[in-house]
Amino acid sequence: MNYTIHQLQIFLKVVQTKSITKASEELFMTQPAVSIQLKNLQDQFEIPLTEVVSRQLYVTDFGKEIAIIAERVIQELENINYKTQAYQGILTGKLSISAVSTGKYVIPYFLSEFLEKSVGIDLVLDVTNKSRVVESLKNNEIDFALVSVLPEKLSIEEELLIENKLYLVGNHAIRDENKPLIYREEGSATRLAMEKYFEVHQGKKRKRMELTSNEAVKQAVIAGLGYSIMPLIGIQNELLNGQLFILEEEDLPIKTEWRLIWLKSKKLSPVSLAYLNFIRSEKQKILTEKFNWYLKY
């Protein structure tokens, strides 16, 4: 046997994505390079690790067993690095955070200085939909979640970060009533806030358009396809460039809070505690330096 750590890492990514194409994208490698490394690993086993059926890649039972072992091997190698750094007096470990999609405009600013000062910490940041964020938190797969609406039936602790403000926006300063409202997908916190608002103020209107990401909604509004209620945090450049306009409406903006949450029963690691202490001590400074434009609205 003469397989490499690199081959095991590539194989694990293929197992996770069930696709050479997706694995290559996430690894920033070409598809042929991934395929070659996967073949080099496979050549060392007489039993197939993967198989292709109707152009779909499947991991065999043997491959799944090898993936479990490979994951342990790679984790132990990471532990060696962490342990080495710990002996050098460096705070080490992994910090895992899952954020709802619009949270990508918030969380980086609450991480950058912490990571600059903590070179021994590896960050795993998953920006995804609300359902996946809550599921990751519920299954104890992450240290923290960033949300604007608290999940139901979960006992959690929280640290407030910044107010979340949602405005009605369009690509002109005057609203054309003939154009439709553009909604996020079911389960989105922004979608829920938008539905509640229009149910109270204009009755239940048939939605005309539904898009699955905040960025897609933003581009649709810029293109003039309709109007939407959107988080202010994600449209700074478009407001400055005159691509989007805030439309004055009764009882807007809708306000919630961006908050970092974690399971109440979770025993926080030294890395998690260090990050929480950083947030509590530096939050006001971050708000003043990074979100001054936002706080003025």
Side-chain angles (χ1 to χ4, degrees), residues 226-241:
Y227 301 89
S228 188
I229 287 180
M230 301 187 67
L232 175 66
I233 199 77
I235 58 174
Q236 178 189 18
N237 291 333
E238 290 74 18
L239 291 173
L240 291 174
N241 296 336

Side-chain angles (χ1 to χ4, degrees), residues 220-267:
V221 175
I222 291 172
L225 295 182
Y227 301 89
S228 188
I229 287 180
M230 301 187 67
L232 175 66
I233 199 77
I235 58 174
Q236 178 189 18
N237 291 333
E238 290 74 18
L239 291 173
L240 291 174
N241 296 336
Q243 294 175 293
L244 290 178
F245 295 84
I246 291 176
L247 304 175
E248 298 295 333
E249 291 284 339
E250 183 184 1
D251 295 332
L252 287 179
I254 300 168
K255 295 182 179 181
T256 56
E257 294 278 354
W258 285 109
R259 59 194 81 209
L260 205 63
I261 64 173
W262 62 98
L263 293 176
K264 201 165 192 175
S265 58
K266 185 175 182 64
K267 183 178 180 181

